[in-house]
Amino acid sequence: MAKMVHSCIRVLEDDRSISWYKSAFDLDIVDQLDFESFRLTYLANKESGFELELTLNKGRTTPYELGDGYAHLAFVVEDVVAYHKTMIAKGLDVGELVEFAPDGELVARFFFATDPDGYKIEILQEAGRFK
Protein backbone atom coordinates (compact mmCIF):
# COMPACT_ATOMS: atom_id res chain seq x y z
CA MET A 1 0.00 0.00 0.00
CA ALA A 2 1.22 3.53 -0.75
CA LYS A 3 1.48 6.14 1.99
CA MET A 4 1.24 9.85 1.18
CA VAL A 5 4.07 11.68 2.99
CA HIS A 6 4.29 15.28 1.77
CA SER A 7 3.12 18.01 -0.55
CA CYS A 8 5.40 20.67 -2.05
CA ILE A 9 4.82 24.35 -2.65
CA ARG A 10 7.30 26.87 -4.03
CA VAL A 11 7.92 29.94 -1.90
CA LEU A 12 9.66 33.25 -2.53
CA GLU A 13 11.02 33.74 1.01
CA ASP A 14 11.31 30.56 3.08
CA ASP A 15 11.87 32.33 6.43
CA ARG A 16 8.61 34.27 5.94
CA SER A 17 6.73 31.10 5.01
CA ILE A 18 8.23 29.05 7.86
CA SER A 19 7.12 31.74 10.30
CA TRP A 20 3.60 31.89 8.81
CA TYR A 21 3.07 28.11 8.97
CA LYS A 22 4.42 28.02 12.52
CA SER A 23 2.00 30.76 13.58
CA ALA A 24 -0.99 29.37 11.67
CA PHE A 25 -0.63 25.62 12.29
CA ASP A 26 2.24 25.11 14.74
CA LEU A 27 4.37 23.47 12.04
CA ASP A 28 8.06 23.09 12.84
CA ILE A 29 11.06 22.31 10.67
CA VAL A 30 11.68 18.56 10.65
CA ASP A 31 14.35 18.61 7.96
CA GLN A 32 16.10 21.09 5.70
CA LEU A 33 18.26 20.28 2.68
CA ASP A 34 20.33 23.13 1.28
CA PHE A 35 21.69 22.88 -2.27
CA GLU A 36 23.51 25.34 -4.52
CA SER A 37 20.43 26.58 -6.37
CA PHE A 38 17.53 25.61 -4.08
CA ARG A 39 16.60 24.73 -0.50
CA LEU A 40 13.98 22.23 0.67
CA THR A 41 12.38 22.75 4.08
CA TYR A 42 10.05 20.10 5.50
CA LEU A 43 7.46 21.19 8.07
CA ALA A 44 5.20 19.08 10.27
CA ASN A 45 3.49 18.98 13.64
CA LYS A 46 2.72 16.23 16.15
CA GLU A 47 -0.86 15.92 14.89
CA SER A 48 0.09 14.15 11.65
CA GLY A 49 2.99 12.44 9.94
CA PHE A 50 2.23 14.40 6.77
CA GLU A 51 4.81 17.05 5.84
CA LEU A 52 4.67 20.28 3.89
CA GLU A 53 7.74 20.80 1.72
CA LEU A 54 8.66 24.41 1.04
CA THR A 55 10.91 24.78 -1.99
CA LEU A 56 12.97 27.95 -2.25
CA ASN A 57 14.62 28.52 -5.62
CA LYS A 58 17.59 30.72 -4.74
CA GLY A 59 17.91 33.95 -6.67
CA ARG A 60 14.25 34.15 -7.63
CA THR A 61 12.85 37.63 -7.05
CA THR A 62 9.39 37.46 -8.60
CA PRO A 63 6.38 35.78 -7.00
CA TYR A 64 5.16 32.50 -8.47
CA GLU A 65 2.06 32.48 -10.63
CA LEU A 66 -0.29 30.03 -8.97
CA GLY A 67 -2.37 29.64 -12.11
CA ASP A 68 -5.70 27.87 -12.16
CA GLY A 69 -4.43 24.38 -11.35
CA TYR A 70 -3.64 24.75 -7.65
CA ALA A 71 -6.65 24.07 -5.43
CA HIS A 72 -5.66 24.08 -1.73
CA LEU A 73 -4.12 22.32 1.24
CA ALA A 74 -6.44 21.48 4.15
CA PHE A 75 -6.13 21.22 7.93
CA VAL A 76 -8.78 19.84 10.27
CA VAL A 77 -9.29 21.37 13.71
CA GLU A 78 -11.49 20.53 16.67
CA ASP A 79 -13.16 23.96 16.89
CA VAL A 80 -13.06 25.92 13.64
CA VAL A 81 -14.84 28.96 15.11
CA ALA A 82 -12.20 29.37 17.83
CA TYR A 83 -9.40 28.69 15.32
CA HIS A 84 -10.81 31.37 13.00
CA LYS A 85 -10.80 33.90 15.85
CA THR A 86 -7.23 32.92 16.81
CA MET A 87 -5.93 33.38 13.28
CA ILE A 88 -7.63 36.78 13.01
CA ALA A 89 -6.08 37.82 16.34
CA LYS A 90 -2.65 36.84 14.97
CA GLY A 91 -3.24 39.16 12.01
CA LEU A 92 -3.25 36.33 9.46
CA ASP A 93 -5.13 36.70 6.17
CA VAL A 94 -8.33 34.69 6.63
CA GLY A 95 -11.65 34.59 4.84
CA GLU A 96 -15.15 34.38 6.21
CA LEU A 97 -16.34 31.36 8.17
CA VAL A 98 -18.65 29.27 5.95
CA GLU A 99 -21.36 26.88 7.07
CA PHE A 100 -22.21 24.50 4.24
CA ALA A 101 -25.73 23.19 4.81
CA PRO A 102 -27.42 21.90 1.67
CA ASP A 103 -31.01 20.90 2.37
CA GLY A 104 -30.71 22.57 5.79
CA GLU A 105 -28.34 20.00 7.30
CA LEU A 106 -24.89 21.24 8.37
CA VAL A 107 -22.29 19.05 6.64
CA ALA A 108 -19.22 21.31 6.81
CA ARG A 109 -17.91 24.38 8.60
CA PHE A 110 -14.72 25.90 7.20
CA PHE A 111 -12.76 28.96 6.14
CA PHE A 112 -9.76 29.66 3.97
CA ALA A 113 -6.52 31.39 4.94
CA THR A 114 -3.98 32.75 2.47
CA ASP A 115 -0.26 32.23 3.08
CA PRO A 116 2.43 34.82 2.17
CA ASP A 117 2.79 33.40 -1.35
CA GLY A 118 -0.94 33.42 -2.07
CA TYR A 119 -1.64 29.73 -1.48
CA LYS A 120 -5.12 29.00 -0.14
CA ILE A 121 -5.31 26.81 2.96
CA GLU A 122 -8.65 25.34 4.02
CA ILE A 123 -9.34 24.94 7.74
CA LEU A 124 -12.20 22.50 8.44
CA GLN A 125 -14.23 21.63 11.51
CA GLU A 126 -13.45 18.11 12.66
CA ALA A 127 -16.26 15.80 11.45
CA GLY A 128 -18.96 15.14 14.00
CA ARG A 129 -18.10 18.23 16.08
CA PHE A 130 -20.73 20.65 14.80
CA LYS A 131 -22.25 22.57 17.69
Side-chain angles (χ1 to χ4, degrees):
M1 179 172 311
K3 177 182 176 182
M4 188 172 358
V5 293
H6 77 258
S7 182
C8 170
I9 60 174
R10 299 190 187 286
V11 300
L12 193 57
E13 298 174 32
D14 57 356
D15 288 339
R16 176 183 70 171
S17 294
I18 291 165
S19 177
W20 191 90
Y21 281 96
K22 173 67 176 174
S23 179
F25 304 111
D26 201 27
L27 297 184
D28 292 308
I29 296 173
V30 295
D31 200 5
Q32 195 167 55
L33 305 172
D34 200 8
F35 301 96
E36 184 177 331
S37 62
F38 66 97
R39 179 172 37 247
L40 306 176
T41 302
Y42 296 89
L43 305 174
N45 64 24
K46 64 181 177 173
E47 301 300 321
S48 169
F50 190 78
E51 296 177 353
L52 177 61
E53 174 190 314
L54 305 179
T55 297
L56 172 77
N57 289 307
K58 296 177 180 178
R60 184 174 181 106
T61 59
T62 57
Y64 288 95
E65 292 183 31
L66 302 185
D68 60 1
Y70 173 78
H72 64 269
L73 297 171
F75 287 81
V76 65
V77 297
E78 186 175 318
D79 184 345
V80 76
V81 175
Y83 213 87
H84 187 254
K85 289 177 185 175
T86 298
M87 290 185 79
I88 289 170
K90 290 180 178 183
L92 301 175
D93 183 4
V94 299
E96 295 296 319
L97 193 60
V98 175
E99 291 195 350
F100 183 63
D103 302 324
E105 181 180 341
L106 183 63
V107 295
R109 185 180 288 138
F110 62 92
F111 67 94
F112 282 88
T114 305
D115 86 352
D117 291 281
Y119 292 103
K120 299 295 183 191
I121 314 297
E122 183 178 20
I123 297 88
L124 297 151
Q125 178 84 30
E126 193 172 7
R129 294 195 178 258
F130 303 121
K131 297 176 184 174

